[in-house]
Amino acid sequence: GLSGIQSGLQSLNKNAAKIASAGTATSSSDLTEPLVGLLQDKQQVLASAKVVETTYDMLGSILDIKA
């Protein structure tokens, strides 16, 4: 749910910072890991958003049944 979205966004920010710092003269890091991490973070946020959406839809259905 929401915690999955928050976790995914935090990780996304960390990976984005690693990618941004790779362009500096002091960095010689490989970009493979943070780029793959960005894709994983995106999937985590999308999946968590889908959980929130499904929960919202289910609650709407329950309220419609009760009404």
Side-chain angles (χ1 to χ4, degrees), residues 40-62:
Q40 291 173 332
D41 299 335
K42 175 185 172 185
Q43 291 303 313
Q44 178 179 351
V45 170
L46 290 174
S48 296
K50 189 66 177 172
V51 168
V52 171
E53 179 184 7
T54 302
T55 302
Y56 177 79
D57 291 344
M58 286 176 39
L59 285 174
S61 296
I62 291 170

Side-chain angles (χ1 to χ4, degrees), residues 7-18:
S7 174
L9 290 175
Q10 287 174 350
S11 180
L12 185 132
N13 286 331
K14 288 178 187 175
N15 284 315
K18 288 179 187 177

